[in-house]
Amino acid sequence: MKKTLSLFCTLLWALTAFAQTGQEIVERMNQRLSERKADGICLTVDVKIPILGNVTTKTYAYGNKRRIDVETSDINTITFIDDTLQWTYIPGSSEVALTNIKVGKTNTSNEPGMDEGMFDDIPGNYDITINSQNSVKWELLCKRKKAIKDDDLPKTITLEVRKETYEPISMTTKVMGINCTMHHFIFGVPESKVTFNLDDYPGVTISDQRK
């Protein structure tokens, strides 16, 4: 009996030691993202805009370079961005538009969530609770703190985090009636994926629109 009680107490202590709050999970996730920054990242963003329809972007990031594939009901575009230049291509067209990056506009601001600390605002501005969990993931509910009056920050965010790696699975939120979901986070993007190469587009010419 004493042995069984001792084992139970040991297991209870272990469970308590490994118990984590939502805040701690997000902080560890942010640490993990920082550690994997040099690997490059790919993610998909689905945006549902009332009346206008749906927009899906798939963004690849490596260092200061980006490739952004945008799909809408009307038109698709592929954009490559580095520190100073932008290449924009509409599939099926015969030209790629080459333009300068506007002064004061950095490439990390072109895609929501693609800055270096895409979730850094959450721990300080949100109350985070574990909404549900299973053997694979946590689902966290993040509610903006009452003291935070910044309307640019969504009131609520639902965040899924993988238990094994502390890497994000998805993030869903709503701002000004626009629903946004980030998902399919993939680490390990080669630099060639975010570098424009004219040879990849046979029969296409560059329209140099730099000023």
Side-chain angles (χ1 to χ4, degrees):
M1 179 66 179
K2 288 183 179 180
K3 192 173 182 180
T4 302
L5 183 60
S6 176
L7 178 60
F8 175 77
C9 290
T10 300
L11 289 173
L12 184 61
W13 175 86
L15 288 172
T16 303
F18 284 101
Q20 298 174 90
T21 65
Q23 180 93 5
E24 291 169 336
I25 293 169
V26 174
E27 288 173 351
R28 289 195 62 177
M29 181 191 70
N30 282 335
Q31 180 182 353
R32 179 64 172 168
L33 289 172
S34 180
E35 292 169 351
R36 300 216 58 181
K37 176 184 171 184
D39 297 338
I41 185 174
C42 171
L43 66 86
T44 300
V45 179
D46 294 326
V47 179
K48 295 182 179 180
I49 306 173
I51 301 176
L52 296 180
N54 301 337
V55 178
T56 296
T57 66
K58 189 169 186 177
T59 301
Y60 305 85
Y62 182 93
N64 291 327
K65 294 182 176 182
R66 301 286 185 271
R67 169 180 168 159
I68 305 172
D69 297 0
V70 180
E71 294 184 6
T72 70
S73 58
D74 298 323
I75 193 171
N76 299 337
T77 60
I78 301 172
T79 303
F80 292 85
I81 302 169
D82 64 18
D83 284 324
T84 59
L85 299 175
Q86 176 172 311
W87 294 261
T88 303
Y89 176 64
I90 299 175
S93 64
S94 60
E95 292 184 341
V96 173
L98 174 60
T99 56
N100 291 314
I101 297 292
K102 294 181 180 179
V103 176
K105 181 179 179 181
T106 61
N107 55 19
T108 55
S109 66
N110 284 282
E111 173 64 20
M114 289 307 298
D115 56 329
E116 292 181 2
M118 61 180 76
F119 300 111
D120 283 353
D121 286 339
I122 293 179
N125 295 308
Y126 290 83
D127 294 318
I128 308 168
T129 57
I130 300 175
N131 195 38
S132 65
Q133 63 177 302
N134 54 35
S135 61
V136 176
K137 66 181 181 181
W138 292 284
E139 182 182 276
L140 307 177
L141 180 61
C142 311
K143 293 184 177 180
R144 193 176 70 194
K145 295 179 179 179
K146 292 182 179 179
I148 304 299
K149 303 301 182 182
D150 187 352
D151 290 334
D152 289 337
L153 295 176
K155 290 184 178 180
T156 61
I157 296 172
T158 301
L159 184 62
E160 292 183 334
V161 182
R162 194 175 305 280
K163 285 187 172 182
E164 183 179 3
T165 61
Y166 284 90
E167 293 172 0
I169 297 174
S170 71
M171 185 186 81
T172 302
T173 190
K174 185 175 183 178
V175 182
M176 298 179 65
I178 299 174
N179 294 294
C180 178
T181 300
M182 297 183 187
H183 58 96
H184 283 86
F185 292 83
I186 300 173
F187 293 91
V189 173
E191 187 172 4
S192 59
K193 189 69 177 179
V194 296
T195 303
F196 177 75
N197 183 356
L198 187 59
D199 292 338
D200 293 335
Y201 302 91
V204 172
T205 60
I206 293 177
S207 174
D208 194 337
Q209 301 175 16
R210 290 175 290 179
K211 298 179 180 180

